[in-house]
Amino acid sequence: MNGLCTGRVAVVTGAGRGLGRAHALALAAEGAAVVVNDLGVGLDGTGGADGPAQQVVDEIRALGGQAVAHGADIATTEGASSLIRTAVETYGRLDALVNNAGFLRDRMLVNVDEDDWDAVMRVHLKGHFLPLKHAAAHWRTEAKAGRTPVARVVNTSSGAGLLGSVGQGNYSAAKAGIIGLTLVAAAELGRYGVQVNAIAPAARTRMTEATFADTMAAPGDDGFDAMAPENVSPLVVWLASAASTGVTGRVFEAEGGRVTVMEGWRPGPTADKGVRWTPTEAGETVPKLLAQAEAPLPVYGAQ
């Protein structure tokens, strides 16, 4: 097999279904050996399933690729460290980490209880942090030993993390946190040969069926299914490959045949009095600044 990721080893979390499965298959198709992580839980993170990670491994192997299953909870220290060990002990190296695992517990803010908040923060934000931490520690060790890697991390945010989404306060906050984590990791880990980027995908998965119910039409006359998760994976594969050298600390929106570079917070209109404002002065100045500023994009689901 001779592809974009030939000889590389990639880890994909939440790879038993949906986007993660598509990413794992696409990476394997381009020559990567893949560690397929999935805990097999339901849409809300409860219960378990009968081995979705192994099913994806079987698909990859049937197509001539290399893959191994990992079923531990990557939002725990032991689960995340064992994920990285699995790659290194099975294939002798680690080149790319794709953080994708997640689930939903959607509620309006007044109805979100503490367990709903903590569970979503845990799987999305902590579930990104811990695998990233252990992968980064491995790559730092390699770099200090004179074996500087060509390492890649692809984190998964969301349009909800960029703009907010009504009924998804916990999810939006977690996904916004992933963007902040991505920026810090890109700045800190570059010296060790690690590039870190994030995607904000839109695709048909278990998590989005209800959200995008009105827009998830069947494929058009040309056969192109704009909401298929496989549409997002080519960007992930490229970001995980050595070919993406020089691209780090970026957020990309991906949907159908469209890729967009998202531009984050940056200074807009400003006023500097040189000394402390009074509340009245601030109140007189802020509307003038807002009149010069671009209007924010609407929160998803806002009326």
Side-chain angles (χ1 to χ4, degrees):
M1 187 175 292
N2 186 20
L4 196 62
C5 292
T6 297
R8 291 176 70 77
V9 175
V11 167
V12 185
T13 69
R17 305 180 181 90
L19 283 164
R21 172 183 173 274
H23 300 339
L25 288 166
L27 284 159
E30 289 292 333
V34 185
V35 178
V36 179
N37 164 267
D38 202 286
L39 198 55
V41 298
L43 180 58
D44 65 351
T46 60
D50 54 350
Q54 187 58 51
Q55 293 170 18
V56 175
V57 167
D58 293 342
E59 285 186 77
I60 290 172
R61 290 177 177 173
L63 294 169
Q66 299 181 73
V68 64
H70 179 271
D73 182 357
I74 47 83
T76 67
T77 293
E78 177 51 37
S81 63
S82 73
L83 177 68
I84 305 310
R85 286 200 310 273
T86 297
V88 175
E89 292 175 1
T90 304
Y91 298 113
R93 59 187 297 125
L94 173 65
D95 300 288
L97 167 64
V98 180
N99 282 316
N100 170 78
F103 56 72
L104 296 176
R105 292 193 184 177
D106 292 352
R107 303 280 193 280
M108 301 300 281
L109 283 173
V110 295
N111 295 323
V112 174
D113 63 32
E114 191 172 355
D115 288 342
D116 293 332
W117 179 271
D118 288 347
V120 169
M121 285 292 174
R122 179 182 184 275
V123 69
H124 288 281
L125 195 48
K126 191 176 181 182
H128 270 62
F129 159 65
L130 285 175
L132 174 56
K133 170 185 170 68
H134 289 281
H138 167 72
W139 287 323
R140 181 182 63 177
T141 298
E142 289 292 286
K144 288 186 174 182
R147 299 183 296 270
T148 301
V150 181
R152 306 288 187 259
V153 178
V154 183
N155 291 330
T156 305
S157 184
S158 167
L162 296 166
L163 300 175
S165 180
V166 172
Q168 293 188 307
N170 48 5
Y171 178 74
S172 296
K175 289 302 192 183
I178 287 168
I179 294 173
L181 177 64
T182 298
L183 300 179
V184 171
E188 291 185 356
L189 302 179
R191 71 188 71 179
Y192 306 123
V194 184
Q195 293 183 179
V196 187
N197 294 284
I199 60 167
R204 182 192 306 105
T205 69
R206 292 190 305 165
M207 286 174 53
T208 60
E209 283 177 347
T211 304
F212 295 144
D214 295 335
T215 60
M216 288 188 171
D221 294 338
D222 60 358
F224 179 59
D225 181 356
M227 298 307 295
E230 290 78 9
N231 298 332
V232 178
S233 299
L235 174 61
V236 171
V237 171
W238 183 79
L239 289 171
S241 76
S244 63
T245 296
V247 179
T248 193
R250 294 288 192 163
V251 180
F252 300 89
E253 198 170 61
E255 175 184 349
R258 177 175 58 84
V259 174
T260 304
V261 178
M262 304 304 290
E263 297 182 335
W265 293 104
R266 61 186 65 211
T270 185
D272 185 356
K273 182 184 174 185
V275 294
R276 183 182 303 139
W277 299 87
T278 67
T280 298
E281 289 172 332
E284 292 171 345
T285 302
V286 167
K288 296 175 183 177
L289 296 178
L290 291 174
Q292 303 171 45
E294 291 188 23
L297 294 174
V299 172
Y300 287 109
Q303 299 297 321

